[in-house]
């Protein structure tokens, strides 16, 4: 529900995940924390959430990220991004992207 918080913790930097499908569902706040671990060939869907946060994730390769249709997104990455698509929602309000020391 919109009062729920959905959290995915991906904190094993020695194991990068391939093919992860993370769907926030109807959670009001969706949080993904990575502690510098990386993702490849994955899909992250936060379209129904009011707020979506990615904290301190490592590099992403061929990953699709879908931001909230009506809400805010704050994304923080600490690794290189290769073939990553970030799609805003119909009425995404605010988008903040922090690329750490890699930049764009």
């Amino acid at each position: 529900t919109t009062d729920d918080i959905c959290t995915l913790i991906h904190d094993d930097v020695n194991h990068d995940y391939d093919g992860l499908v993370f769907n926030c569902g109807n959670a009001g706040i969706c949080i993904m924390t990575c502690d510098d671990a990386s993702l490849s060939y994955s899909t992250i869907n936060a379209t129904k959430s009011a707020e979506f946060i990615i904290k301190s994730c490592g590099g992403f390769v061929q990953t699709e990220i879908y931001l909230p249709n009506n809400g805010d997104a704050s994304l923080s990455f600490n690794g290189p991004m290769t073939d990553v698509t970030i799609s805003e929602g119909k009425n995404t309000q605010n988008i903040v992207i922090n690329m750490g020391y890699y930049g764009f």
Side-chain angles (χ1 to χ4, degrees), residues 61-84:
V61 176
Q62 292 186 356
T63 296
E64 298 177 4
I65 302 170
Y66 297 94
L67 303 182
N69 282 330
N70 296 293
D72 300 324
S74 176
L75 315 175
S76 173
F77 303 103
N78 292 326
M81 307 289 276
T82 305
D83 295 326
V84 174

Side-chain angles (χ1 to χ4, degrees), residues 22-25 30 44-52 66-69:
F22 178 48
N23 190 335
C24 301
C30 184
I44 304 163
N45 186 342
T47 56
K48 296 181 181 178
S49 296
E51 184 176 0
F52 179 50
Y66 297 94
L67 303 182
N69 282 330

Side-chain angles (χ1 to χ4, degrees), residues 13-68:
V13 295
N14 297 313
H15 181 85
D16 294 336
Y17 288 96
D18 289 342
L20 175 73
V21 176
F22 178 48
N23 190 335
C24 301
N26 292 323
I29 300 173
C30 184
I31 303 169
M32 179 178 187
T33 61
C34 301
D35 293 337
D36 292 332
S38 298
L39 288 177
S40 298
Y41 311 103
S42 299
T43 301
I44 304 163
N45 186 342
T47 56
K48 296 181 181 178
S49 296
E51 184 176 0
F52 179 50
I53 301 166
I54 293 181
K55 294 181 181 179
S56 300
C57 286
F60 278 28
V61 176
Q62 292 186 356
T63 296
E64 298 177 4
I65 302 170
Y66 297 94
L67 303 182

